[in-house]
Amino acid sequence: FKWSGMPRKKAALYGGLIGGLAMVPVELLDGFAEKWGASWGDIIADVGGGALAFGNEMLWAEQRIQVKVSYHPTGYADARPDLFGDKYTKYLKDYNGHTGWLSFRVHSFLPDSKFKQKYPRWLNLAVGYGANGLLGGYDKGLTPAILEREYRQYYLSPDIDLSAIKTRSGALRLILDILDCIHLPSPALEYNSKHGLRWHWLYM
């Protein structure tokens, strides 16, 4: 919308609304699907994503807090390709390997100082959220066995802001901006209720 010449505030509003509404059909399908049902968490995430983009633009006229994703192989897809996808679709269907991230542009939040002048614009700080032990929908709700198997994961990790890397190439700029929605492999500190604190020298 900004590229088309629409005023900044109106572009941010329409972009945020359409971004959130685009996911409504998915939630409607889930709501009528056997074993799945509608999820308030999913709906909040859908609306929150558009609201975050809108809020960034209104507060700072830049996307200081970015949503990113990453994926790591888990083995679930190899055992159950019918449920978690084959070698091509597991990146979308195996939720156990997904991590959602909020990446904060540290440089933009720093007060003017010599430290800010030296701090790399491309070095962000990201917090992540994932889950493990997810084996499908629930026939009879959350049983003790399911509660024992499934657990949430929380991460703290550095992140690279590819949009801060300067280039004169229009093609390279486009590629960097597209890839900027991915949290690249980095060291990470993990906490989960089953294993406590864990350190990853390189987490995907």
Side-chain angles (χ1 to χ4, degrees), residues 141-159:
L142 292 171
T143 65
I146 293 174
L147 292 172
E148 174 64 23
R149 182 185 70 233
E150 296 183 353
Y151 61 95
R152 303 170 190 266
Q153 300 162 299
Y154 304 91
Y155 301 91
L156 182 65
S157 172
D159 182 42

Side-chain angles (χ1 to χ4, degrees), residues 107-121:
H107 186 275
S108 295
F109 284 103
L110 292 174
D112 290 332
S113 63
K114 290 183 178 180
F115 178 72
K116 181 175 183 176
Q117 294 174 5
K118 295 181 179 180
Y119 191 90
R121 288 181 175 272

Side-chain angles (χ1 to χ4, degrees), residues 2-195:
K2 288 172 65 177
W3 173 81
S4 70
M6 186 178 291
R8 184 178 66 88
K9 292 184 179 180
K10 186 177 290 187
L13 177 61
Y14 289 169
L17 287 174
I18 291 176
L21 292 175
M23 297 303 298
V24 170
V26 177
E27 306 310 339
L28 287 175
L29 291 173
D30 277 354
F32 289 100
E34 186 179 358
K35 296 185 181 181
W36 300 105
S39 165
W40 279 110
D42 285 348
I43 294 172
I44 291 171
D46 296 339
V47 176
L52 178 63
F54 173 73
N56 271 289
E57 190 66 29
M58 291 296 95
L59 288 172
W60 305 301
E62 64 169 311
Q63 296 298 305
R64 288 191 182 185
I65 306 174
Q66 302 164 280
V67 176
K68 298 192 176 189
V69 296
S70 66
Y71 174 82
H72 62 273
T74 64
Y76 287 100
D78 294 334
R80 292 286 307 277
D82 58 315
L83 184 61
F84 298 109
D86 56 27
K87 62 181 180 180
Y88 300 111
T89 60
K90 63 182 179 181
Y91 304 100
L92 296 175
K93 298 181 70 174
D94 181 10
Y95 289 171
N96 298 281
H98 293 172
T99 305
W101 299 87
L102 286 179
S103 181
F104 295 81
R105 283 182 177 168
V106 176
H107 186 275
S108 295
F109 284 103
L110 292 174
D112 290 332
S113 63
K114 290 183 178 180
F115 178 72
K116 181 175 183 176
Q117 294 174 5
K118 295 181 179 180
Y119 191 90
R121 288 181 175 272
W122 51 266
L123 184 56
N124 286 9
L125 183 65
V127 292
Y129 172 77
N132 208 333
L134 307 176
L135 299 183
Y138 309 123
D139 288 308
K140 300 178 181 179
L142 292 171
T143 65
I146 293 174
L147 292 172
E148 174 64 23
R149 182 185 70 233
E150 296 183 353
Y151 61 95
R152 303 170 190 266
Q153 300 162 299
Y154 304 91
Y155 301 91
L156 182 65
S157 172
D159 182 42
I160 298 175
D161 184 359
L162 297 179
S163 67
I165 298 177
K166 295 182 179 180
T167 176
R168 294 183 178 179
S169 169
L172 182 57
R173 176 77 277 148
L174 178 62
I175 292 172
L176 289 174
D177 287 345
I178 292 174
L179 292 178
D180 202 33
C181 68
I182 299 172
H183 180 274
L184 299 176
S186 305
L189 180 65
E190 174 191 350
Y191 172 78
N192 66 69
S193 57
K194 181 164 287 191
H195 304 291

